[in-house]
Structures are given as C-alpha cells and as structure tokens.
C-alpha cells in the first residue's frame, strides 16, 4: 500500500479547541529546535503553552477548569509531544502537581494554589519520586520530623524535579520517623529550599530537571495536602506520571517521526512500505490507548499500552534517523533530537517489569 493510500491517521476525537491546538502545535514545532540546542529554560516556549490555556486542562470543571474529558486530554498531550516533547514533558509534571492539588481541594493549601494556577499567577511541579524509589530510605531521603503537634521540619532532597527553577510550589512528600508519609504543597520561596543546577541530560535539557535540597525547612498543617498516612504516593492522583499520559507523549513523538518518514517516501519509494507499516502500528497503539482511557471492557491495561508505545517511539525515531542518514545526525536536525528523546521513555517512570522485558528482548531472550 502506498503512502497516498494510507497517510497520517486522523486524530480520533473532535476538539472544540481544534483551531487553538493547530496554532499551538505549529508554534511549538517552530520553537523546539532552538530550545533543545540552547538547553536552558525557555519562558517563550512555556508562554505558548500557558497562553493557549493548556495549564488548565487538568483542573476539573467543578473546580473552575475547562471541560476536557480524559481521552481528549490525552490526544492533546500527544499533539503537543509531536511538536515539542520538552513542552509536553514540562506540562505533564505541572499537571501531575495540579491533579494532586485538585484531589486535596478541601485543604486550604490546595485551594490557595489552585486559585493562583487558574489565574496564571503560579507554576506548580511535582517532586515525589523520593517516595517511590530506593532513595526514600537512603542518606538523601526526604525526612519529616514532627517538632510539635501540627508543625514539621523537612530535611533531605527531592531528587528529580522538572522545571524546578521556574516553580512557585512543589507538590512533594516526606517520610516520617514512624513510617507515615507527609504530602505537602511546599512554596519554592520557603527558607531552606535550594534548587541545584539542572542535570546534564542526554535530551530534554531545557526542561531544567534538577535536584531540590531541603535544609531544615519548616512546614505546618496549613501546608499539608492530606493527613499523614501510610503511603501517600499510592493515593489517587498522587503521582500521575507513569500511566497513560506518558504513553500519549511517546505516541506523539512517534507520530512526528512517522509523519516525517512518510514525507521522505514521496521521493524514495523504498520508504513507502515501512512508513505505511509504522502508520498501521501507530493507529493500533493509539486505539488501544483510547480504549484504556475510556475504560472499555476489552481494553488492554496501561502497562501493555506503555510497552507498545515505548517500542513504537524507539522504532519510529530510529527509522527516520536511518532514512535521513548523516544529515539527520546534525544537531540542527530533528531526526537526532527525536531519537535521543525517545530514549527518555526507557527511564522515565518505566515500570520494572517493562524494563526487565525490554532488556531481555534486546538480549534476544524469550520473555521471562
């Protein structure tokens, strides 16, 4: 089947903001090359996202957000990622924080920050990986000590915080001496909070992901998003970065590469069949993601969707790099940037079973 017979699959869901999304995608794509090469925070890039209203998508309608059902929300994520994975990644971390604030809306701190976010006056990000990794028990764990009833001291670090230098508030968690966890809306300006220099990442450097250290930072009950509990990281909406949102970003990045490969097929007949096959694989993976988002009875689980999305984004970006040959390896070219960015999905909130299965597959071994 030729490219003309297949072509890029249409986005499935009618979007009332289609014109806004089309303009935003075009503007982000134009800005993305320069942002990646500069490798520093780009306020103009974030302003495009904010001015389009994207920072409000994750706020429920009952809390003043726009009507954005989950399937449409994921489609918009994929569209943004097809234009700028940096912008989409930063937004995903902001939204992870917003979802946790929304789930805790009855608490004064959550209401305060949601009001500021809705007005465009605050940027939120999430710093909670220390509750979900081995760091939670190590020397650098973030520990909360209750000084007097209702007042706590935080010591340690948030090891992985995106857009840390831009944040006004961190949604974070700390481990208490009795094993309970404290979930906090921590203002960035609180004394003792220090943002370290951004990590030198292989891709997405402009996300300015960094460690944030906390040295005798004081919080009280007015900063809490929940009563101290056994496992705040497993509560609904507590993290929100390892599920379908991540898969949507991977499929958005994959689609950009497949579209570009199909564009080359017009002059290179040998690329027509591979691009058609990648389009079919993308359509199948996208349909699975939407079925999972809708909760359809026969839908695959989110782990299966993530596995397919990871596999496709790696194959699609490397196929386009191969097709572009040496010219695609130049820093100004999207081919090399997309291939580097695809590797991020191997390490970003990648479930252990998927990581183990991928290693076995790369080694030519059968699944365990």
């Amino acid at each position: 089947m030729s490219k003309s017979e297949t072509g890029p699959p249409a986005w499935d869901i009618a979007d009332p903001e289609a014109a806004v999304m089309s303009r935003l995608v075009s503007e982000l794509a134009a800005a993305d090359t320069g942002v990646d090469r500069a490798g520093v925070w780009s306020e103009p890039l974030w302003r495009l996202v904010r001015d389009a209203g994207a920072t409000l998508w994750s706020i429920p309608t009952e809390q003043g957000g726009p009507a954005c059902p989950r399937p449409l929300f994921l489609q918009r994520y994929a569209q943004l990622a097809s234009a700028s994975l940096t912008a989409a990644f930063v937004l995903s971390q902001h939204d992870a924080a917003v979802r946790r604030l929304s789930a805790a809306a009855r608490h004064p701190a959550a209401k305060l920050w949601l009001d500021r976010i809705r007005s465009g006056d605050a940027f939120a990000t999430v710093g909670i990986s220390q509750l979900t990794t081995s760091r939670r028990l190590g020397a650098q764990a973030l520990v909360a000590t209750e000084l007097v009833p209702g007042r706590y001291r935080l010591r340690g670090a948030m090891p992985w915080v995106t857009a840390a230098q831009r944040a006004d508030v961190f949604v974070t968690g700390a481990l208490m001496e009795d094993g309970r966890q404290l979930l906090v809306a921590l203002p960035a300006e609180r004394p003792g909070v220090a943002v370290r220099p951004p990590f030198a990442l292989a891709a997405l450097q402009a996300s300015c992901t960094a460690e944030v250290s906390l040295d005798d930072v004081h919080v009280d009950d007015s900063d809490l998003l929940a009563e101290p509990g056994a496992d705040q990281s497993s509560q609904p909406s507590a993290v929100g970065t390892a599920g379908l949102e991540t898969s949507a970003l991977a499929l958005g990045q994959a689609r950009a590469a497949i579209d570009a490969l199909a564009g080359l097929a017009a002059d290179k007949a040998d690329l027509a069949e591979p691009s058609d096959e990648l389009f079919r694989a993308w359509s199948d993976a996208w349909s699975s993601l939407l079925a999972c988002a809708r909760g359809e009875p026969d839908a695959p689980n989110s782990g299966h969707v993530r596995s397919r999305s990871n596999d496709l984004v790696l194959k699609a970006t490397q196929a386009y790099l191969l097709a572009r040959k040496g010219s695609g390896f130049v820093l100004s070219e999207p081919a090399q940037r997309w291939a580097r960015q695809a590797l991020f999905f191997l390490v970003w909130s990648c479930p252990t079973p998927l990581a183990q299965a991928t290693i076995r597959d790369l080694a030519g071994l059968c699944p365990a």
Side-chain angles (χ1 to χ4, degrees), residues 76-103:
R76 289 178 176 177
Y77 257 35
Q79 289 174 300
L80 294 191
S82 72
S84 171
L85 188 60
T86 295
F89 173 50
V90 171
L91 179 63
S92 76
Q93 302 304 282
H94 171 272
D95 286 351
V98 168
R99 280 193 297 275
R100 196 62 189 89
L101 292 169
S102 296

Side-chain angles (χ1 to χ4, degrees), residues 227-264:
E227 298 299 323
D231 190 0
Q232 300 289 357
S233 63
S234 68
Q235 297 301 312
S237 304
V239 183
T241 59
L244 295 181
E245 289 83 5
T246 311
S247 296
L249 265 57
L251 290 177
Q253 179 70 95
R255 175 163 174 146
I258 299 168
D259 282 347
L261 183 68
L264 297 179

Side-chain angles (χ1 to χ4, degrees), residues 281-296:
W282 187 93
S283 294
D284 288 345
W286 182 246
S287 295
S288 294
L289 182 144
L290 290 183
C292 188
R294 292 176 178 130
E296 296 177 5

Side-chain angles (χ1 to χ4, degrees), residues 25-147:
V25 166
S26 177
E27 291 173 340
L28 288 176
D32 196 53
T33 296
V35 168
D36 177 75
R37 294 186 69 183
V40 296
W41 177 258
S42 173
E43 192 62 27
L45 188 79
W46 180 248
R47 192 178 302 120
L48 290 173
V49 174
R50 185 195 62 203
D51 290 352
T55 56
L56 306 180
W57 294 344
S58 58
I59 300 177
T61 53
E62 61 270 21
Q63 295 174 9
C68 190
R70 186 157 170 75
L72 177 59
F73 178 84
L74 294 171
Q75 177 171 287
R76 289 178 176 177
Y77 257 35
Q79 289 174 300
L80 294 191
S82 72
S84 171
L85 188 60
T86 295
F89 173 50
V90 171
L91 179 63
S92 76
Q93 302 304 282
H94 171 272
D95 286 351
V98 168
R99 280 193 297 275
R100 196 62 189 89
L101 292 169
S102 296
R106 66 182 181 87
H107 291 266
K111 184 180 184 304
L112 168 69
W113 287 108
L114 284 171
D115 287 345
R116 290 188 60 182
I117 290 166
R118 277 193 301 268
S119 68
D121 185 44
F123 177 97
T125 193
V126 66
I128 207 165
S129 62
Q130 66 275 4
L131 295 183
T132 60
T133 69
S134 60
R135 289 285 297 271
R136 68 191 294 268
L137 300 176
Q140 298 299 313
L142 183 52
V143 176
T145 301
E146 189 168 19
L147 302 176

